Amino acid sequence: MKKINKQWKDIIIEVIQELGGEAWLQDIYEKVEEKYPEKLTKGYDKTIRDCIQRFSSDSTKYEARGDIFYSVKGLGRGIWGLNDYQNEENKNLNFTNDDSVFPEGKKKLAQHIRRERNPALINRAKELFKLKEGRVYCQSCGFDFESKYGDIGKDFIEGHHIIPISELKEGSKTRVQDIILLCSNCHSMVHRKRPWLRVDEIKTLMK
């Protein structure tokens, strides 16, 4: 067999990247089996777990040689992610100077924005809102993209999670009821201050 010179750390990083930045341990094992069968010595799964924990400040085994991995759902849940993972979606998260001082750190801010941009969740929120109101518009200022821009703006709106991810309990799931529909301007303003402004506060500012 061809000798693999890659360190376990680098292999795990590569595998989690291919799995989308976050993955269950079992999926990591299976991907390693597929890509690096030469590395499958007895107890390789324990080697992978130990390596992840040595490079994660979430773990008591952390060796402070680089905080590469983080526990997505908390230790013991078996889901790990890459702190510096970037795909095309992450590159367009639109972090600003204000976002960089978010007290929970960039990692949790990224998680929050990805959650807000969950297409299935936002689409469902829009569907329910449109069934009730007949159209979609900003729940803060009332702006309607279709009225302003025509067909290109039809059904366009952004979804904002009203509960910051830092306040969610471990294992919490996002509900459609937790999403409020905002135009791009109001959404940006909500995130402008820490703690995030409430929609009613944005309405007050506009008055």
Side-chain angles (χ1 to χ4, degrees):
M1 288 187 179
K2 183 180 177 181
K3 185 177 180 180
I4 300 297
N5 294 319
K6 280 189 176 182
Q7 296 182 355
W8 272 113
K9 170 176 64 70
D10 298 321
I11 289 175
I12 296 167
I13 290 172
E14 176 186 321
V15 164
I16 296 180
Q17 284 176 332
E18 292 187 13
L19 290 170
E22 297 176 356
W24 289 89
L25 278 171
Q26 187 59 45
D27 292 332
I28 295 173
Y29 301 153
E30 291 177 2
K31 196 70 173 177
V32 169
E33 291 172 8
E34 173 191 327
K35 292 179 64 68
Y36 296 100
E38 302 89 342
K39 300 286 286 186
L40 304 184
T41 56
K42 184 177 180 180
Y44 79 94
D45 52 342
K46 183 178 185 301
T47 300
I48 289 174
R49 291 195 304 273
D50 288 345
C51 181
I52 289 174
Q53 292 176 25
R54 289 199 309 273
F55 289 92
S56 173
S57 61
D58 290 341
S59 172
T60 57
K61 295 182 179 180
Y62 181 50
E63 297 179 353
R65 293 188 296 158
D67 191 12
I68 298 172
F69 309 104
Y70 69 94
S71 178
V72 177
K73 296 288 188 179
L75 291 176
R77 296 301 183 98
I79 310 176
W80 291 92
L82 291 172
N83 279 324
D84 294 330
Y85 174 71
Q86 284 205 342
N87 63 2
E88 290 308 309
E89 177 186 6
N90 287 358
K91 289 175 183 176
N92 295 309
L93 283 177
N94 297 328
F95 289 114
T96 67
N97 290 332
D98 302 306
D99 295 329
S100 66
V101 296
F102 183 61
E104 290 298 323
K106 186 171 181 177
K107 178 177 72 179
K108 285 191 176 180
L109 179 61
Q111 289 176 333
H112 183 99
I113 294 176
R114 283 199 297 271
R115 182 176 295 220
E116 287 188 349
R117 292 184 179 177
N118 180 326
L121 178 67
I122 302 307
N123 286 339
R124 184 57 180 158
K126 288 196 293 187
E127 286 172 6
L128 293 176
F129 189 86
K130 191 172 182 179
L131 281 173
K132 180 181 178 181
E133 301 291 332
R135 61 190 179 95
V136 294
Y137 57 86
C138 177
Q139 290 180 259
S140 174
C141 70
F143 186 84
D144 184 326
F145 282 90
E146 185 177 10
S147 295
K148 182 68 175 179
Y149 298 107
D151 288 343
I152 196 173
K154 185 177 182 180
D155 292 340
F156 181 83
I157 202 73
E158 296 184 7
H160 170 66
H161 197 293
I162 59 176
I163 306 173
I165 199 168
S166 58
E167 296 178 12
L168 293 176
K169 294 180 180 178
E170 188 173 297
S172 296
K173 293 184 178 180
T174 303
R175 304 175 305 163
V176 171
Q177 295 91 327
D178 296 328
I179 298 296
I180 187 168
L181 304 182
L182 299 176
C183 70
S184 308
N185 284 344
C186 287
H187 199 184
S188 295
M189 291 300 101
V190 164
H191 285 273
R192 183 71 174 169
K193 291 185 66 177
R194 306 291 177 262
W196 292 333
L197 291 169
R198 299 189 309 273
V199 171
D200 61 308
E201 292 176 316
I202 292 293
K203 290 180 178 179
T204 300
L205 288 175
M206 288 191 295
K207 290 179 181 179

